């Protein structure tokens, strides 16, 4: 009846919309091959990740992550300990998670 025809019509429209969007995702170009360090793995790039990437480390977000994000770029992970004014408890968090941090060249984008 009418209801089944309407359901089919809605399903067809939804399917067409999904196909229309899908090719756009395929055309996206990833020009930053270290994108995995922006929060997609257990490693975080100190120079390019935003504060949200640190949510995976309990205690890091937002305070410790804010110190990192606002005081780069860094040449090495140990540069974190050179930031002036960082409280000792925040330095403790840096130390706790330092094995999860990497330093890659800062992306200008």
């Amino acid at each position: 009846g009418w209801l089944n025809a309407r359901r089919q019509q809605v399903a067809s429209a939804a399917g067409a919309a999904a196909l229309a969007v899908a090719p756009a995702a395929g055309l996206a170009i990833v020009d930053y091959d270290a994108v995995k360090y922006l929060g997609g793995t257990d490693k975080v790039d100190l120079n390019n990740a935003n504060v949200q990437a640190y949510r995976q480390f309990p205690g890091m977000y937002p305070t410790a992550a804010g110190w990192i994000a606002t005081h780069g770029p860094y040449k090495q992970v140990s540069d974190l300990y050179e930031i002036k004014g960082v409280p000792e408890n925040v330095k403790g968090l840096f130390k706790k998670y330092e094995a999860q941090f990497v330093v890659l060249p800062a992306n200008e984008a």
Side-chain angles (χ1 to χ4, degrees):
W2 177 84
L3 186 57
N4 282 339
R6 185 69 181 144
R7 281 186 188 151
Q8 189 174 16
Q9 197 175 31
V10 169
S12 294
L19 286 176
V21 173
L27 298 176
I29 297 172
V30 176
D31 61 353
Y32 180 60
D33 57 348
V35 71
K36 62 188 170 195
Y37 298 123
L38 301 182
T41 67
D42 65 340
K43 300 277 187 187
V44 173
D45 176 9
L46 298 178
N47 284 331
N48 298 296
N50 70 31
V51 294
Q52 298 293 328
Y54 298 92
R55 285 181 173 267
Q56 63 184 309
F57 308 120
M60 286 290 295
Y61 179 86
T63 306
W67 280 98
I68 293 171
T70 57
H71 288 84
Y74 305 97
K75 291 187 175 115
Q76 55 201 15
V77 173
S78 62
D79 290 352
L80 291 176
Y81 305 105
E82 305 303 317
I83 301 171
K84 301 275 187 249
V86 176
E88 286 304 313
N89 65 322
V90 173
K91 285 184 180 179
L93 289 168
F94 293 168
K95 187 70 175 163
K96 180 178 181 179
Y97 298 113
E98 108 183 326
Q100 274 71 46
F101 301 149
V102 296
V103 175
L104 300 173
N107 188 350
E108 299 302 319

